[in-house]
Amino acid sequence: VGFCNDHPNRVIHHGSFGLKVHHYDSQDKKLRLHFSYDPEKEERIAAATQSAQCDRPRRNVSAAKYFKDFESSHIVLYNYDNELNIYGILTASETFDDDSAVTTHINNVKLYDEHFKLLCTV
């Protein structure tokens, strides 16, 4: 949990579950959810979009993620640039194999403006 330096009324909570930004209203003395990012939901949407895109109308192809017997976990990191007023959210997953080796897969980086309007996905 942290605070945004340029917006001290924003409380930012991030972790393997994703990222949530709450806005503190000093008049009501309440926290209100301002923005929420769930990497699991994003993956489901992306998988549905990818399987729907096919140049053959009767052919249904979908690629499943396959990690054999490995454990994996999500990582969501954010950074805020106060000169550009841009939030960057990096989503990655780590896979742990039997030899205790860790492989990090960067899924995407999303850039948002100060109002959390999506600017671009890299």
Side-chain angles (χ1 to χ4, degrees):
V1 176
F3 294 93
C4 181
N5 293 335
D6 287 358
H7 305 282
N9 57 346
R10 288 187 180 170
V11 179
I12 300 173
H13 184 211
H14 68 97
S16 60
F17 63 89
L19 179 124
K20 292 184 180 185
V21 178
H22 290 82
H23 178 80
Y24 178 72
D25 188 356
S26 58
Q27 292 177 349
D28 294 342
K29 298 190 186 227
K30 292 184 180 179
L31 279 177
R32 301 188 194 283
L33 184 64
H34 181 70
F35 176 77
S36 179
Y37 176 78
D38 181 0
E40 301 246 350
K41 182 179 175 184
E42 292 286 324
E43 282 184 6
R44 288 192 299 269
I45 292 170
T49 304
Q50 288 174 356
S51 64
Q53 295 174 350
C54 183
D55 58 349
R56 298 181 187 172
R58 294 188 186 134
R59 186 175 179 198
N60 187 6
V61 178
S62 61
K65 291 187 176 181
Y66 183 68
F67 290 118
K68 203 170 180 177
D69 293 323
F70 305 143
E71 295 180 29
S72 72
S73 65
H74 287 286
I75 302 168
V76 176
L77 302 172
Y78 84 96
N79 199 355
Y80 173 71
D81 185 287
N82 61 355
E83 291 181 13
L84 299 173
N85 286 328
I86 291 178
Y87 289 87
I89 299 175
L90 179 133
T91 306
S93 59
E94 287 185 337
T95 305
F96 308 94
D97 66 7
D98 294 334
D99 299 328
S100 298
V102 179
T103 304
T104 303
H105 307 275
I106 296 176
N107 299 338
N108 60 46
V109 176
K110 295 189 178 213
L111 300 177
Y112 294 88
D113 68 4
E114 63 183 319
H115 304 291
F116 288 95
K117 179 183 173 191
L118 181 64
L119 300 174
C120 71
T121 302
V122 181

